[in-house]
Amino acid sequence: MSGEPQKVVVVGAGSGIGAAVAAHFHDRGEHVLAVDVREHQTPASEHLQCDLRDAASINALLGQIGSG
């Protein structure tokens, strides 16, 4: 890794493959935003909840994380 850490957003980070992906990038020192519909303890820099079945929830998440 060189320079600034990458910013990685992982949806479905509460379990399974999503949790493994979030943990992988977090362990590499990247800035990981772990998103899931329920609370979780996946290793990450930040945790947010979002229901991807709900457009209002998605828009709220995008408003929280902004661009960049």
Side-chain angles (χ1 to χ4, degrees):
M1 181 174 73
S2 63
E4 295 277 324
Q6 294 184 67
K7 294 179 181 177
V8 180
V9 178
V10 180
V11 295
S15 63
I17 293 171
V21 169
H24 168 78
F25 284 107
H26 181 71
D27 290 347
R28 290 186 51 195
E30 310 298 357
H31 182 93
V32 176
L33 171 57
V35 179
D36 202 89
V37 69
R38 59 187 176 276
E39 286 189 40
H40 56 91
Q41 299 299 316
T42 301
S45 307
E46 295 181 71
H47 297 85
L48 290 176
Q49 287 181 259
C50 180
D51 184 347
L52 296 179
R53 300 168 292 186
D54 178 25
S57 183
I58 295 168
N59 286 330
L61 173 71
L62 293 175
Q64 284 182 281
I65 64 175
S67 64

